[in-house]
């Protein structure tokens, strides 16, 4: 089996084990296809290429990681991306999650607080042809008011509390998928569904472990 096929098989197995918590026994076909398309080995350091399709996070420098493939897949699925959507990502890192999203939606705006990571992700995404991703060096605690509202928001670093601007910048009908909790301690992945301007339904999905969301006031 090719490493990428092995990765998809492992993701699907984990999606199966966690179905009781996520409510999703299977990935949507579109998300599975996007995970098959994006070359994860192009998003890690050359010396880690052999591990690029293993189902765990890998270091990308600056104390940050490219998320576990399963986590990217399930978060993308929970976001319920549609081809006409404009999605905001907080925590661009390597750009891998942004590349997956770019195949599923019209436009991805991805914020990254670490300048060199923002620059290398921007350069990598352009080189690999993911032209509908805009990488912006900014503190995601404030969201990105300039292009709000967003049809979905995905956060790949954990704040201790949900930043209010993210809820404000979400369009009615949209999902905010975000890990919340103390640094490296018990964090919970939340699916926050903004049903209407005044009705928000928050669902705890899974126990997770993300790098902290830095920045803030
Ligand atoms: N989605 C990334 C995962 C990166 S890890 C990928 O696919 O590779 C989380 C990223 O969030 C790190 O790059 C970190 O620098 C960034 N980050 C942390 N706090 C942030 C903030 N306040 N605003 C924007 N990015 C932030």
């Amino acid at each position: 089996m090719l490493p990428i096929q092995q990765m998809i098989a492992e993701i699907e197995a984990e999606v199966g084990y966690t179905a009781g918590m996520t409510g999703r026994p299977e990935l949507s076909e579109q998300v599975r296809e996007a995970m098959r398309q994006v070359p994860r080995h192009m998003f890690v350091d050359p010396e880690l290429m052999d591990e690029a399709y293993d189902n765990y996070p890998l270091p990308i420098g600056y104390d940050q990681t490219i998320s576990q493939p399963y986590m990217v897949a399930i978060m993308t699925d929970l976001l319920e991306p549609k081809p006409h959507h404009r999605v905001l990502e907080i925590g661009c890192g390597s750009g891998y999650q942004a590349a997956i999203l770019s195949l599923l939606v019209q436009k991805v705006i991805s914020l990254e607080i670490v300048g060199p990571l923002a620059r290398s992700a921007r350069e990598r995404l352009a080189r690999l042809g993911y032209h509908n991703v805009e990488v912006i060096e900014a503190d995601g605690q404030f969201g990105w008011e300039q292009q709000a509202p967003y049809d979905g928001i995905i956060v790949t670093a954990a704040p201790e509390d949900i930043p209010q601007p993210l809820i404000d910048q979400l369009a009615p009908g949209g999902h905010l998928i975000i890990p919340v909790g103390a640094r490296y301690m018990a964090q919970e992945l939340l699916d926050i569904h903004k049903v209407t301007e005044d009705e928000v339904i928050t669902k705890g999905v899974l126990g997770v472990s993300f790098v902290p969301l830095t920045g803030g006031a």
Side-chain angles (χ1 to χ4, degrees):
M1 214 190 276
L2 290 171
I4 198 156
Q5 289 172 340
Q6 177 71 33
M7 181 188 85
I8 301 290
E10 283 174 29
I11 292 172
E12 289 184 315
E14 193 162 351
V15 168
Y17 312 137
T18 56
M21 291 173 281
T22 64
R24 312 224 160 193
E26 289 186 337
L27 291 178
S28 75
E29 182 49 43
Q30 295 89 315
V31 172
R32 188 181 310 125
E33 190 51 36
M35 296 296 299
R36 269 198 208 108
Q37 292 298 322
V38 177
R40 194 168 186 261
H41 67 277
M42 301 298 281
F43 292 80
V44 301
D45 285 342
E47 58 270 29
L48 295 172
M49 273 203 190
D50 289 351
E51 294 173 75
Y53 295 99
D54 291 340
N55 189 22
Y56 47 75
L58 290 169
I60 56 170
Y62 305 91
D63 284 334
Q64 305 303 325
T65 56
I66 176 172
S67 304
Q68 180 196 14
Y70 159 77
M71 195 52 63
V72 173
I74 198 73
M75 289 175 74
T76 305
D77 205 278
L78 290 164
L79 192 68
E80 299 186 346
K82 303 279 181 300
H84 63 277
H85 279 179
R86 282 185 328 113
V87 166
L88 178 68
E89 178 188 26
I90 314 289
C92 186
S94 67
Y96 178 71
Q97 170 78 73
I100 297 285
L101 286 168
S102 79
L103 298 180
L104 296 163
V105 303
Q106 188 187 91
K107 172 93 199 267
V108 181
I109 292 114
S110 185
L111 307 185
E112 172 55 56
I113 201 167
V114 176
L117 284 175
R119 286 192 289 281
S120 63
R122 186 182 297 125
E123 187 272 323
R124 172 183 291 125
L125 288 162
R127 178 163 39 85
L128 296 175
Y130 299 101
H131 297 302
N132 58 340
V133 182
E134 184 179 351
V135 180
I136 300 170
E137 183 184 340
D139 180 356
Q141 294 265 4
F142 304 100
W144 189 251
E145 181 68 43
Q146 286 87 329
Q147 298 186 54
Y150 303 97
D151 300 301
I153 302 180
I154 193 163
V155 185
T156 66
E160 296 199 4
D161 301 294
I162 302 162
Q164 184 60 37
L166 301 186
I167 295 181
D168 297 341
Q169 292 173 24
L170 188 62
H175 291 264
L176 165 60
I177 309 300
I178 182 171
V180 176
R183 304 207 150 191
Y184 302 107
M185 303 282 291
Q187 299 167 357
E188 193 176 24
L189 185 68
L190 302 180
D191 172 0
I192 299 171
H193 185 203
K194 188 169 185 177
V195 184
T196 64
E197 215 45 80
D198 340 275
E199 190 193 1
V200 172
I201 299 175
T202 299
K203 223 169 28 179
V205 179
L206 278 176
V208 291
S209 176
F210 277 82
V211 295
L213 188 75
T214 60

